[in-house]
Amino acid sequence: MPTPSMEDYIEQIYMLIENKGYARVSDIAEALSVHPSSVTKMVQKLDKDDYLVYEKYRGLVLTPKGSKVGKRLVYRHELLEQFLRVIGVKEEHIYEDVEGIEHHLSWDSIDRIGDLVQFFEEEKKRIEELRVIQSRNE
């Protein structure tokens, strides 16, 4: 597994706080499969850069800036999962594929993918037509 990026940390912290109400270094380390010492270093950097407030032994809280970025990163991740499902990617490949591409796309590309997902989901018949084309090409 590649080293998690700063975005991976912010996204994970945001999701933990949303789901559990808090994020601890140990929870982040487990979720990202890294050592707690790596989490502590990144959390200190995120604190310095005003994404969160970190108090040693007390936990952390996202700042408004950190929450805004976290929310956008979670949206990007979920949108890409949705997109891959719409285009017929097998479920067992989706998470790994999203992890592989999400940091390499511009926000303009993400917005266009959102438009495409919306286009297909507005009329489910479009997705059915796509499946017919895919089955012909298999």
Side-chain angles (χ1 to χ4, degrees), residues 36-110:
S37 60
S38 299
V39 174
T40 299
K41 284 179 195 163
M42 180 58 77
V43 163
Q44 289 168 343
K45 179 181 178 2
L46 293 171
D47 187 2
K48 185 173 140 290
D49 293 344
D50 196 35
Y51 289 99
L52 57 82
V53 176
Y54 175 61
E55 296 178 17
K56 199 170 182 180
Y57 307 115
R58 301 231 18 207
L60 49 96
V61 180
L62 287 172
T63 62
K65 174 183 174 182
S67 287
K68 181 179 178 184
V69 170
K71 185 174 188 174
R72 189 150 167 89
L73 294 172
V74 169
Y75 163 78
R76 177 182 70 187
H77 188 103
E78 291 172 350
L79 176 65
L80 290 171
E81 284 185 358
Q82 194 177 6
F83 171 67
L84 294 178
R85 282 188 188 95
V86 164
I87 63 171
V89 173
K90 291 185 173 92
E91 197 63 36
E92 63 264 22
H93 300 295
I94 288 177
Y95 180 80
E96 190 173 316
D97 287 353
V98 169
E99 288 298 312
I101 64 175
E102 68 182 334
H103 301 293
H104 300 285
L105 295 172
S106 69
W107 285 103
D108 184 45
S109 294
I110 296 297

Side-chain angles (χ1 to χ4, degrees), residues 1 3-6 8-10 12-14 16 23-48 52-56 59-60:
M1 180 174 184
T3 304
S5 70
M6 186 172 90
D8 291 322
Y9 279 91
I10 294 171
Q12 194 59 56
I13 291 165
Y14 180 86
L16 283 166
R24 297 181 314 213
V25 168
S26 59
D27 298 324
I28 300 163
E30 182 180 335
L32 294 174
S33 301
V34 295
H35 290 287
S37 60
S38 299
V39 174
T40 299
K41 284 179 195 163
M42 180 58 77
V43 163
Q44 289 168 343
K45 179 181 178 2
L46 293 171
D47 187 2
K48 185 173 140 290
L52 57 82
V53 176
Y54 175 61
E55 296 178 17
K56 199 170 182 180
L60 49 96

